Amino acid sequence: MSGKERVSVLSGESAAGQIFNKLVFPVGLLIIYTIFDIILGGGVLWNANAIMTLISHTVIQAYIAWGLVFIFSGGPDFSIAGSMVLAANMGAFAVTELHLGYFGLFVFAIAVTIVLQLLASYVRIRCALPTWVSGLAMLMIYEAIGSVYTTSRTSIGLTNITLEADQCRALGRGYWPLILLAAGTVVMYFIYSRTKIGINYRAVSNNAKVAGYMGIDSKKTQYIAAVVGAISVGIAAAITISSNAKQDTYTGLGSISVIGKALATWLLAGAMEKRLSKPICILLGAFFTAFLFNVMTRLGIPSGTWQDVSNAVFILFFGALSFAGTKEVIK
């Protein structure tokens, strides 16, 4: 077989090429996992407990990144980080103070995220501001609200609301992370690939002017995308509280650290999405990111310092891959 024939077989025009394009990233990541598993003496990947631990670390980042896919339809809006912090605390409030259990946890977390994200989107669209300007401004406002909340509790001798061991703490344990991850993948794939919401979102995010010529209402689509993304991030906030018992508040744009790994996941997905549906890319990217941080922990790399540096490097690297070949100015 000649070189030209081999290239044509692996091109996207042939059935074999389509299969190759869809499997190249999953197989490549699997090879990387296996190599690191061997280097670290096993037990990192090919072990049931290790896999469940990785999945529990994956699920929160996946839900945040799925949310970013829709929330970033008008550009990167980092106010969602502040929304998630407040939503997580309000979910904990519903559990500890209102005794609403899991129902209250999810309803409050999701509702608060939706309201705050719609507010941020309204300010951006109404004032015709660049996303990074409005997003950072709204993030600072949300952080100020969180600071007032923390200060008010501190003044009466309390700390951030913390769930007790018997209060809605199961979402990060057992098979719940796997169930939540599987359900999220199916639902987000369906919304993104099979619904009018997903089709309109992709058209607007690619080129709002062209989408307008096609009869798609750009503003309405961005608001709907904000709601879909906020629901996903709200679920992530609820899972975070259930897994960690509490969520600290931040000032000085520190809330961005809450979505740091998810941002790396979102960028990694952007590098893969030409071959796979983006929600599937998010799933693979979130697992890959969780795996890398697990490996760094096993290697003794301190969290909060060099792991943060590594995450920044991932963001730069994956960002370069995501936008490779983009000729216009990236806003």
Side-chain angles (χ1 to χ4, degrees):
M1 182 182 290
S2 68
K4 275 188 177 180
E5 289 173 328
R6 283 195 295 269
V7 171
S8 64
V9 167
L10 295 180
S11 70
E13 298 176 359
S14 66
Q18 291 177 7
I19 294 173
F20 174 80
N21 285 334
K22 291 182 181 299
L23 293 180
V24 61
F25 274 110
V27 172
L29 294 179
L30 183 61
I31 292 172
I32 294 173
Y33 299 155
T34 304
I35 291 172
F36 274 110
D37 189 73
I38 294 172
I39 292 173
L40 294 174
V44 179
L45 180 66
W46 305 115
N47 176 284
N49 291 332
I51 291 175
M52 292 307 298
T53 298
L54 286 176
I55 290 175
S56 69
H57 293 164
T58 297
V59 63
I60 295 174
Q61 306 310 322
Y63 271 94
I64 297 174
W66 282 324
L68 297 185
V69 168
F70 288 92
I71 291 167
F72 283 11
S73 58
D77 182 356
F78 294 108
S79 68
I80 190 59
S83 302
M84 179 177 169
V85 169
L86 291 177
N89 279 285
M90 290 302 97
F93 175 83
V95 173
T96 59
E97 303 298 326
L98 302 181
H99 309 291
L100 295 176
Y102 286 105
F103 174 80
L105 174 63
F106 278 101
V107 168
F108 271 62
I110 292 173
V112 169
T113 311
I114 290 175
V115 170
L116 295 180
Q117 191 54 43
L118 282 176
L119 177 59
S121 298
Y122 175 79
V123 170
R124 171 175 58 83
I125 295 172
R126 179 67 176 174
C127 300
L129 293 170
T131 311
W132 67 271
V133 173
S134 63
L136 291 179
M138 295 305 294
L139 173 58
M140 287 189 283
I141 292 173
Y142 295 159
E143 286 187 336
I145 295 172
S147 179
V148 170
Y149 154 76
T150 301
T151 302
S152 64
R153 288 185 63 84
T154 302
S155 65
I156 56 176
L158 300 174
T159 59
N160 285 11
I161 295 177
T162 304
L163 300 185
E164 300 295 337
D166 59 344
Q167 291 181 311
C168 301
R169 296 297 310 281
L171 297 180
R173 304 170 183 168
Y175 289 98
W176 276 112
L178 180 60
I179 294 171
L180 290 166
L181 196 60
T185 302
V186 172
V187 172
M188 295 307 293
Y189 175 81
F190 178 77
I191 293 174
Y192 185 86
S193 304
R194 296 288 187 267
T195 66
K196 185 177 180 180
I197 294 172
I199 294 171
N200 289 353
Y201 151 76
R202 282 180 284 164
V204 170
S205 61
N206 287 332
N207 193 313
K209 287 187 178 180
V210 173
Y213 297 148
M214 297 167 59
I216 298 173
D217 189 326
S218 175
K219 292 181 180 179
K220 180 180 178 181
T221 298
Q222 289 182 58
Y223 282 126
I224 293 174
V227 171
V228 174
I231 291 173
S232 186
V233 175
I235 293 173
I239 299 172
T240 297
I241 280 294
S242 181
S243 301
N244 302 335
K246 71 174 184 177
Q247 173 63 64
D248 293 330
T249 57
Y250 300 85
T251 57
L253 304 181
S255 298
I256 293 178
S257 63
V258 174
I259 65 170
K261 294 178 184 178
L263 181 59
T265 295
W266 175 73
L267 290 168
L268 175 57
M272 295 189 289
E273 67 176 322
K274 291 182 180 179
R275 290 179 167 85
L276 294 166
S277 175
K278 198 156 190 174
I280 303 300
C281 295
I282 291 291
L283 173 66
L284 294 173
F287 189 82
F288 179 65
T289 303
F291 179 82
L292 286 178
F293 277 86
N294 180 285
V295 168
M296 285 191 286
T297 300
R298 291 280 297 269
L299 291 173
I301 298 174
S303 60
T305 52
W306 289 111
Q307 288 195 19
D308 286 345
V309 172
S310 299
N311 193 40
V313 172
F314 298 153
I315 289 174
L316 291 172
F317 178 73
F318 297 147
L321 287 178
S322 297
F323 297 113
T326 302
K327 296 180 179 180
E328 67 270 15
V329 176
I330 300 169
K331 298 182 179 179

mmCIF file of all heavy atoms in Angstrom, residues 195-227:
data_model
loop_
_atom_site.group_PDB
_atom_site.id
_atom_site.type_symbol
_atom_site.label_atom_id
_atom_site.label_comp_id
_atom_site.label_asym_id
_atom_site.label_seq_id
_atom_site.Cartn_x
_atom_site.Cartn_y
_atom_site.Cartn_z
ATOM 1 N N THR A 195 -30.233 18.951 20.430
ATOM 2 C CA THR A 195 -31.337 19.871 20.692
ATOM 3 C C THR A 195 -31.119 21.204 19.990
ATOM 4 O O THR A 195 -30.001 21.560 19.606
ATOM 5 C CB THR A 195 -31.506 20.148 22.206
ATOM 6 O OG1 THR A 195 -30.351 20.868 22.682
ATOM 7 C CG2 THR A 195 -31.657 18.856 22.988
ATOM 8 N N LYS A 196 -32.192 21.954 19.834
ATOM 9 C CA LYS A 196 -32.117 23.280 19.220
ATOM 10 C C LYS A 196 -31.257 24.208 20.067
ATOM 11 O O LYS A 196 -30.559 25.081 19.533
ATOM 12 C CB LYS A 196 -33.533 23.846 19.073
ATOM 13 C CG LYS A 196 -33.581 25.170 18.324
ATOM 14 C CD LYS A 196 -35.020 25.638 18.156
ATOM 15 C CE LYS A 196 -35.057 26.974 17.398
ATOM 16 N NZ LYS A 196 -36.450 27.450 17.236
ATOM 17 N N ILE A 197 -31.312 24.024 21.396
ATOM 18 C CA ILE A 197 -30.498 24.841 22.298
ATOM 19 C C ILE A 197 -29.021 24.693 21.948
ATOM 20 O O ILE A 197 -28.292 25.682 21.810
ATOM 21 C CB ILE A 197 -30.731 24.430 23.769
ATOM 22 C CG1 ILE A 197 -32.162 24.739 24.190
ATOM 23 C CG2 ILE A 197 -29.738 25.143 24.694
ATOM 24 C CD1 ILE A 197 -32.520 24.190 25.564
ATOM 25 N N GLY A 198 -28.582 23.447 21.803
ATOM 26 C CA GLY A 198 -27.180 23.187 21.500
ATOM 27 C C GLY A 198 -26.780 23.698 20.127
ATOM 28 O O GLY A 198 -25.700 24.282 19.955
ATOM 29 N N ILE A 199 -27.657 23.507 19.132
ATOM 30 C CA ILE A 199 -27.357 23.958 17.770
ATOM 31 C C ILE A 199 -27.243 25.484 17.728
ATOM 32 O O ILE A 199 -26.305 26.043 17.147
ATOM 33 C CB ILE A 199 -28.444 23.470 16.794
ATOM 34 C CG1 ILE A 199 -28.400 21.932 16.700
ATOM 35 C CG2 ILE A 199 -28.248 24.093 15.421
ATOM 36 C CD1 ILE A 199 -29.558 21.331 15.941
ATOM 37 N N ASN A 200 -28.216 26.170 18.357
ATOM 38 C CA ASN A 200 -28.177 27.633 18.383
ATOM 39 C C ASN A 200 -26.965 28.149 19.149
ATOM 40 O O ASN A 200 -26.331 29.135 18.749
ATOM 41 C CB ASN A 200 -29.456 28.183 19.009
ATOM 42 C CG ASN A 200 -30.672 28.018 18.116
ATOM 43 O OD1 ASN A 200 -30.549 27.602 16.965
ATOM 44 N ND2 ASN A 200 -31.836 28.324 18.643
ATOM 45 N N TYR A 201 -26.659 27.481 20.270
ATOM 46 C CA TYR A 201 -25.492 27.893 21.063
ATOM 47 C C TYR A 201 -24.223 27.819 20.231
ATOM 48 O O TYR A 201 -23.408 28.750 20.223
ATOM 49 C CB TYR A 201 -25.353 27.005 22.304
ATOM 50 C CG TYR A 201 -23.922 26.879 22.760
ATOM 51 C CD1 TYR A 201 -23.308 27.915 23.444
ATOM 52 C CD2 TYR A 201 -23.161 25.746 22.442
ATOM 53 C CE1 TYR A 201 -21.975 27.820 23.821
ATOM 54 C CE2 TYR A 201 -21.836 25.651 22.815
ATOM 55 C CZ TYR A 201 -21.254 26.692 23.511
ATOM 56 O OH TYR A 201 -19.939 26.603 23.864
ATOM 57 N N ARG A 202 -24.045 26.716 19.521
ATOM 58 C CA ARG A 202 -22.828 26.562 18.724
ATOM 59 C C ARG A 202 -22.744 27.594 17.611
ATOM 60 O O ARG A 202 -21.665 28.116 17.304
ATOM 61 C CB ARG A 202 -22.756 25.140 18.153
ATOM 62 C CG ARG A 202 -22.294 24.111 19.178
ATOM 63 C CD ARG A 202 -22.227 22.729 18.581
ATOM 64 N NE ARG A 202 -23.548 22.150 18.441
ATOM 65 C CZ ARG A 202 -23.833 21.100 17.686
ATOM 66 N NH1 ARG A 202 -22.890 20.543 16.949
ATOM 67 N NH2 ARG A 202 -25.041 20.609 17.634
ATOM 68 N N ALA A 203 -23.889 27.918 17.020
ATOM 69 C CA ALA A 203 -23.904 28.924 15.960
ATOM 70 C C ALA A 203 -23.522 30.295 16.506
ATOM 71 O O ALA A 203 -22.707 31.009 15.920
ATOM 72 C CB ALA A 203 -25.293 28.981 15.317
ATOM 73 N N VAL A 204 -24.085 30.663 17.643
ATOM 74 C CA VAL A 204 -23.811 31.974 18.240
ATOM 75 C C VAL A 204 -22.369 32.068 18.730
ATOM 76 O O VAL A 204 -21.703 33.093 18.555
ATOM 77 C CB VAL A 204 -24.789 32.261 19.399
ATOM 78 C CG1 VAL A 204 -24.360 33.500 20.185
ATOM 79 C CG2 VAL A 204 -26.203 32.446 18.851
ATOM 80 N N SER A 205 -21.882 31.002 19.354
ATOM 81 C CA SER A 205 -20.514 31.033 19.889
ATOM 82 C C SER A 205 -19.474 31.065 18.782
ATOM 83 O O SER A 205 -18.384 31.620 18.967
ATOM 84 C CB SER A 205 -20.271 29.822 20.800
ATOM 85 O OG SER A 205 -20.426 28.607 20.090
ATOM 86 N N ASN A 206 -19.802 30.499 17.617
ATOM 87 C CA ASN A 206 -18.873 30.531 16.486
ATOM 88 C C ASN A 206 -18.873 31.893 15.801
ATOM 89 O O ASN A 206 -17.804 32.454 15.522
ATOM 90 C CB ASN A 206 -19.221 29.435 15.471
ATOM 91 C CG ASN A 206 -18.846 28.052 15.959
ATOM 92 O OD1 ASN A 206 -17.918 27.906 16.738
ATOM 93 N ND2 ASN A 206 -19.584 27.045 15.513
ATOM 94 N N ASN A 207 -20.063 32.438 15.540
ATOM 95 C CA ASN A 207 -20.163 33.739 14.884
ATOM 96 C C ASN A 207 -21.570 34.280 15.086
ATOM 97 O O ASN A 207 -22.513 33.846 14.419
ATOM 98 C CB ASN A 207 -19.833 33.625 13.393
ATOM 99 C CG ASN A 207 -19.614 34.983 12.755
ATOM 100 O OD1 ASN A 207 -20.380 35.906 12.945
ATOM 101 N ND2 ASN A 207 -18.542 35.081 11.977
ATOM 102 N N ALA A 208 -21.711 35.240 16.013
ATOM 103 C CA ALA A 208 -23.025 35.763 16.368
ATOM 104 C C ALA A 208 -23.705 36.459 15.185
ATOM 105 O O ALA A 208 -24.923 36.369 15.010
ATOM 106 C CB ALA A 208 -22.901 36.728 17.543
ATOM 107 N N LYS A 209 -22.913 37.162 14.344
ATOM 108 C CA LYS A 209 -23.497 37.880 13.209
ATOM 109 C C LYS A 209 -24.090 36.917 12.185
ATOM 110 O O LYS A 209 -25.209 37.103 11.704
ATOM 111 C CB LYS A 209 -22.442 38.761 12.547
ATOM 112 C CG LYS A 209 -22.073 39.992 13.357
ATOM 113 C CD LYS A 209 -21.149 40.897 12.575
ATOM 114 C CE LYS A 209 -20.829 42.161 13.372
ATOM 115 N NZ LYS A 209 -19.924 43.071 12.632
ATOM 116 N N VAL A 210 -23.333 35.878 11.859
ATOM 117 C CA VAL A 210 -23.827 34.880 10.912
ATOM 118 C C VAL A 210 -25.053 34.173 11.480
ATOM 119 O O VAL A 210 -26.021 33.903 10.757
ATOM 120 C CB VAL A 210 -22.719 33.856 10.578
ATOM 121 C CG1 VAL A 210 -23.279 32.726 9.719
ATOM 122 C CG2 VAL A 210 -21.561 34.535 9.859
ATOM 123 N N ALA A 211 -25.020 33.884 12.803
ATOM 124 C CA ALA A 211 -26.170 33.248 13.448
ATOM 125 C C ALA A 211 -27.407 34.139 13.320
ATOM 126 O O ALA A 211 -28.525 33.650 13.118
ATOM 127 C CB ALA A 211 -25.860 32.967 14.916
ATOM 128 N N GLY A 212 -27.206 35.469 13.423
ATOM 129 C CA GLY A 212 -28.314 36.397 13.278
ATOM 130 C C GLY A 212 -28.912 36.345 11.879
ATOM 131 O O GLY A 212 -30.139 36.408 11.712
ATOM 132 N N TYR A 213 -28.049 36.213 10.875
ATOM 133 C CA TYR A 213 -28.535 36.098 9.498
ATOM 134 C C TYR A 213 -29.355 34.817 9.310
ATOM 135 O O TYR A 213 -30.225 34.744 8.445
ATOM 136 C CB TYR A 213 -27.368 36.083 8.522
ATOM 137 C CG TYR A 213 -26.543 37.357 8.524
ATOM 138 C CD1 TYR A 213 -25.168 37.324 8.269
ATOM 139 C CD2 TYR A 213 -27.136 38.596 8.785
ATOM 140 C CE1 TYR A 213 -24.407 38.492 8.274
ATOM 141 C CE2 TYR A 213 -26.389 39.759 8.801
ATOM 142 C CZ TYR A 213 -25.021 39.710 8.543
ATOM 143 O OH TYR A 213 -24.291 40.853 8.547
ATOM 144 N N MET A 214 -29.077 33.815 10.138
ATOM 145 C CA MET A 214 -29.808 32.550 10.070
ATOM 146 C C MET A 214 -31.113 32.600 10.859
ATOM 147 O O MET A 214 -31.846 31.619 10.923
ATOM 148 C CB MET A 214 -28.928 31.418 10.615
ATOM 149 C CG MET A 214 -27.664 31.172 9.810
ATOM 150 S SD MET A 214 -26.486 30.091 10.694
ATOM 151 C CE MET A 214 -27.480 28.613 10.924
ATOM 152 N N GLY A 215 -31.398 33.746 11.462
ATOM 153 C CA GLY A 215 -32.632 33.901 12.220
ATOM 154 C C GLY A 215 -32.525 33.496 13.673
ATOM 155 O O GLY A 215 -33.545 33.361 14.364
ATOM 156 N N ILE A 216 -31.301 33.318 14.176
ATOM 157 C CA ILE A 216 -31.103 32.933 15.570
ATOM 158 C C ILE A 216 -30.944 34.191 16.416
ATOM 159 O O ILE A 216 -30.115 35.055 16.103
ATOM 160 C CB ILE A 216 -29.853 32.036 15.711
ATOM 161 C CG1 ILE A 216 -30.043 30.746 14.908
ATOM 162 C CG2 ILE A 216 -29.584 31.714 17.172
ATOM 163 C CD1 ILE A 216 -28.795 29.877 14.859
ATOM 164 N N ASP A 217 -31.736 34.302 17.464
ATOM 165 C CA ASP A 217 -31.662 35.446 18.378
ATOM 166 C C ASP A 217 -30.457 35.256 19.299
ATOM 167 O O ASP A 217 -30.472 34.421 20.199
ATOM 168 C CB ASP A 217 -32.948 35.529 19.204
ATOM 169 C CG ASP A 217 -33.033 36.811 20.029
ATOM 170 O OD1 ASP A 217 -31.976 37.295 20.479
ATOM 171 O OD2 ASP A 217 -34.146 37.307 20.234
ATOM 172 N N SER A 218 -29.418 36.047 19.062
ATOM 173 C CA SER A 218 -28.160 35.887 19.796
ATOM 174 C C SER A 218 -28.336 36.114 21.296
ATOM 175 O O SER A 218 -27.845 35.338 22.118
ATOM 176 C CB SER A 218 -27.097 36.841 19.246
ATOM 177 O OG SER A 218 -25.913 36.777 20.017
ATOM 178 N N LYS A 219 -29.037 37.196 21.662
ATOM 179 C CA LYS A 219 -29.198 37.516 23.089
ATOM 180 C C LYS A 219 -29.988 36.426 23.815
ATOM 181 O O LYS A 219 -29.607 35.984 24.894
ATOM 182 C CB LYS A 219 -29.890 38.864 23.250
ATOM 183 C CG LYS A 219 -29.052 40.056 22.796
ATOM 184 C CD LYS A 219 -29.794 41.366 23.016
ATOM 185 C CE LYS A 219 -28.943 42.547 22.558
ATOM 186 N NZ LYS A 219 -29.663 43.838 22.750
ATOM 187 N N LYS A 220 -31.089 36.011 23.205
ATOM 188 C CA LYS A 220 -31.912 34.967 23.816
ATOM 189 C C LYS A 220 -31.117 33.678 23.970
ATOM 190 O O LYS A 220 -31.188 33.013 25.025
ATOM 191 C CB LYS A 220 -33.155 34.715 22.950
ATOM 192 C CG LYS A 220 -34.074 33.637 23.503
ATOM 193 C CD LYS A 220 -35.278 33.441 22.589
ATOM 194 C CE LYS A 220 -36.180 32.324 23.104
ATOM 195 N NZ LYS A 220 -37.347 32.095 22.204
ATOM 196 N N THR A 221 -30.345 33.342 22.949
ATOM 197 C CA THR A 221 -29.542 32.124 22.992
ATOM 198 C C THR A 221 -28.509 32.187 24.109
ATOM 199 O O THR A 221 -28.277 31.201 24.815
ATOM 200 C CB THR A 221 -28.833 31.903 21.646
ATOM 201 O OG1 THR A 221 -29.829 31.738 20.619
ATOM 202 C CG2 THR A 221 -27.955 30.661 21.685
ATOM 203 N N GLN A 222 -27.886 33.356 24.299
ATOM 204 C CA GLN A 222 -26.890 33.489 25.354
ATOM 205 C C GLN A 222 -27.520 33.367 26.734
ATOM 206 O O GLN A 222 -26.917 32.805 27.657
ATOM 207 C CB GLN A 222 -26.157 34.824 25.210
ATOM 208 C CG GLN A 222 -25.228 34.871 24.010
ATOM 209 C CD GLN A 222 -24.469 36.170 23.907
ATOM 210 O OE1 GLN A 222 -23.742 36.548 24.819
ATOM 211 N NE2 GLN A 222 -24.636 36.867 22.795
ATOM 212 N N TYR A 223 -28.720 33.896 26.901
ATOM 213 C CA TYR A 223 -29.411 33.752 28.191
ATOM 214 C C TYR A 223 -29.764 32.281 28.456
ATOM 215 O O TYR A 223 -29.600 31.782 29.580
ATOM 216 C CB TYR A 223 -30.684 34.594 28.223
ATOM 217 C CG TYR A 223 -30.441 36.066 28.461
ATOM 218 C CD1 TYR A 223 -30.939 37.027 27.585
ATOM 219 C CD2 TYR A 223 -29.728 36.503 29.567
ATOM 220 C CE1 TYR A 223 -30.724 38.381 27.797
ATOM 221 C CE2 TYR A 223 -29.506 37.861 29.797
ATOM 222 C CZ TYR A 223 -30.006 38.792 28.909
ATOM 223 O OH TYR A 223 -29.787 40.128 29.121
ATOM 224 N N ILE A 224 -30.259 31.599 27.428
ATOM 225 C CA ILE A 224 -30.603 30.183 27.592
ATOM 226 C C ILE A 224 -29.354 29.370 27.891
ATOM 227 O O ILE A 224 -29.349 28.497 28.765
ATOM 228 C CB ILE A 224 -31.299 29.648 26.321
ATOM 229 C CG1 ILE A 224 -32.667 30.321 26.145
ATOM 230 C CG2 ILE A 224 -31.474 28.131 26.407
ATOM 231 C CD1 ILE A 224 -33.359 29.956 24.841
ATOM 232 N N ALA A 225 -28.257 29.669 27.171
ATOM 233 C CA ALA A 225 -26.991 28.978 27.426
ATOM 234 C C ALA A 225 -26.510 29.229 28.846
ATOM 235 O O ALA A 225 -25.974 28.328 29.501
ATOM 236 C CB ALA A 225 -25.938 29.432 26.413
ATOM 237 N N ALA A 226 -26.716 30.459 29.338
ATOM 238 C CA ALA A 226 -26.312 30.789 30.709
ATOM 239 C C ALA A 226 -27.080 29.942 31.719
ATOM 240 O O ALA A 226 -26.514 29.476 32.722
ATOM 241 C CB ALA A 226 -26.544 32.273 30.983
ATOM 242 N N VAL A 227 -28.362 29.724 31.457
ATOM 243 C CA VAL A 227 -29.180 28.903 32.367
ATOM 244 C C VAL A 227 -28.705 27.449 32.345
ATOM 245 O O VAL A 227 -28.539 26.825 33.404
ATOM 246 C CB VAL A 227 -30.675 28.989 31.972
ATOM 247 C CG1 VAL A 227 -31.490 27.970 32.777
ATOM 248 C CG2 VAL A 227 -31.203 30.396 32.215
#
